[in-house]
Amino acid sequence: KVAARNDVGMGPWSIASALMDTDIKGPDPIPQDPGIECLRSGCTTLTFGWQRSPCSWGAPVTHYLVRYAEIEEDLWKEGCNELVHQELDREEWLGMMHPEPAPPGIKDEELQDEEAISLFAEYLLVRFGTLEESWEWLDINRSGEVAKVEFVEGDIDNGPPFADFKNQEVLPKVFKMMDRDLRGKVSVVEFKQLLPYLEKTKKGSAGSKHNGVYCTVPGLTPGKSYYIVARAVNKAGMSGWTRCLKEPHITQPMSPAKILPLQGVPELRTLTSVTFRWELPYSNGAPLNDIELRYCSRDVEEPPPDRRALREG
């Protein structure tokens, strides 16, 4: 509202105008100092953290755009890998994304071997990054349940799911800890009993405390280098890109990829030998040391060996 003034005095105020807002614009960039930091490197994931934009200019930040590539120049090309990371009202380390809450953690006094589950939790963090990614890898048949033999030995086609876990002897103990109802199977909800132990591990050597935004980039290739940039977005627009001060970031190596089916070479067979050929798999970031070959023989009159016989050698 306004009023006029002269030498005698000030006149009455006008009627107040309608409410008007100032204009809004895109947020400021993510602060370059300290910039984007790599908080944790897994086999197929990289977890990054950054500070929020100092000013969103009248419209709250709704999400962040994250680009990542193995070659730095590809970050600026059309079709670059890009994901949307939603801004959260309350920041927490990203873990299981299933909507139902996790059940209470396995109580320490009920553990037969506290070290066993701690070792396994740290392994899951380093290899997969989140409990959800671990379950996706484990439940290969997408049945929602995993039997003990699948957990420890895997299925006939794919072998042990945790073959690169150095402490294989603790796997039966971990399964027993989760199998509360003694059904011999573990569901995804029972598997989430490991979540409190992953949270414990994050506070130690496998995790990192960070006061800001967390973002896990999934689906990466083991043993590869990646570059990353990110920008803040509100309803008015986007900020400029901010990148890591230290690049590139390398995912952890893991056991080699599965070899494609072998092919026989009939023209090279003899009375006492047969020849097969195959293509070497991707090493998943660590050089291949050797190839293990298993076979079993049958008389011509006998039926062909089943897959289990082949696996046992």
Side-chain angles (χ1 to χ4, degrees):
K1 59 184 181 179
V2 294
R5 188 194 305 272
N6 60 17
D7 292 342
V8 178
M10 187 172 67
W13 288 99
S14 68
I15 298 174
S17 69
L19 183 64
M20 294 186 64
D21 298 328
T22 55
D23 199 5
I24 60 175
K25 69 175 186 176
D28 285 348
I30 297 168
Q32 190 63 54
D33 185 14
I36 301 174
E37 303 173 90
C38 185
L39 304 178
R40 190 176 67 240
S41 173
C43 294
T44 59
T45 63
L46 289 170
T47 299
F48 296 92
W50 57 79
Q51 300 301 312
R52 290 180 171 84
S53 302
C55 182
S56 60
W57 295 104
V61 172
T62 56
H63 61 276
Y64 297 88
L65 288 180
V66 180
R67 282 186 176 182
Y68 57 96
E70 295 181 26
I71 301 173
E72 186 175 4
E73 290 76 15
D74 289 348
L75 288 173
W76 318 113
K77 293 181 180 179
E78 186 176 353
C80 176
N81 296 314
E82 192 170 274
L83 64 86
V84 175
H85 177 71
Q86 298 293 333
E87 174 67 294
L88 303 177
D89 293 333
R90 177 173 55 86
E91 285 300 329
E92 57 187 20
W93 197 289
L94 297 180
M96 291 297 284
M97 302 303 292
H98 296 283
E100 67 270 17
I106 306 167
K107 297 180 180 179
D108 291 351
E109 60 267 21
E110 295 179 357
L111 293 181
Q112 297 181 2
D113 189 346
E114 174 72 17
E115 184 181 2
I117 200 166
S118 298
L119 287 171
F120 189 63
E122 182 165 1
Y123 162 78
L124 293 181
L125 272 177
V126 173
R127 190 182 192 277
F128 300 101
T130 68
L131 203 59
E132 183 185 32
E133 292 285 342
S134 307
W135 179 260
E136 291 294 323
W137 173 266
L138 178 61
D139 185 21
I140 193 169
N141 297 316
R142 302 295 182 263
S143 63
E145 290 186 328
V146 173
K148 182 177 180 180
V149 67
E150 293 178 89
F151 185 83
V152 178
E153 301 177 15
D155 61 19
I156 294 174
D157 289 327
N158 298 284
F162 308 120
D164 53 345
F165 180 46
K166 296 181 180 179
N167 305 90
Q168 291 288 316
E169 70 280 359
V170 309
L171 290 177
K173 297 179 183 179
V174 174
F175 186 88
K176 185 176 181 180
M177 295 168 193
M178 296 186 295
D179 186 18
R180 290 286 187 89
D181 53 11
L182 304 179
R183 297 184 305 122
K185 294 182 178 181
V186 169
S187 67
V188 62
V189 176
E190 291 171 312
F191 189 71
K192 289 198 300 185
Q193 293 177 93
L194 294 174
L195 186 57
Y197 292 88
L198 265 74
E199 296 299 330
K200 274 187 183 180
T201 308
K202 288 166 189 173
K203 297 177 183 177
S205 60
S208 173
K209 293 198 64 106
H210 177 77
N211 183 22
V213 178
Y214 291 106
C215 176
T216 297
V217 180
L220 305 179
T221 303
K224 291 285 188 178
S225 300
Y226 289 91
Y227 296 85
I228 181 175
V229 291
R231 70 195 321 176
V233 181
N234 64 12
K235 67 179 182 180
M238 298 180 289
S239 71
W241 293 103
T242 299
R243 63 187 308 160
C244 284
L245 296 180
K246 298 180 180 179
E247 294 179 315
H249 301 285
I250 305 174
T251 51
Q252 297 293 320
M254 60 185 291
S255 54
K258 185 177 180 179
I259 297 179
L260 295 175
L262 281 65
Q263 295 179 329
V265 188
E267 60 271 21
L268 295 180
R269 65 180 178 175
T270 69
L271 293 176
T272 59
S273 68
V274 289
T275 301
F276 294 90
R277 62 185 174 203
W278 60 84
E279 294 184 7
L280 292 178
Y282 174 57
S283 66
N284 275 335
L288 297 175
N289 298 325
D290 53 58
I291 298 292
E292 180 177 329
L293 176 66
R294 295 185 180 184
Y295 67 94
C296 61
S297 59
R298 291 286 192 276
D299 288 336
V300 201
E301 294 81 9
E302 293 180 330
D306 59 22
R307 292 177 179 177
R308 188 173 297 278
L310 286 172
R311 194 173 111 188
E312 293 172 353

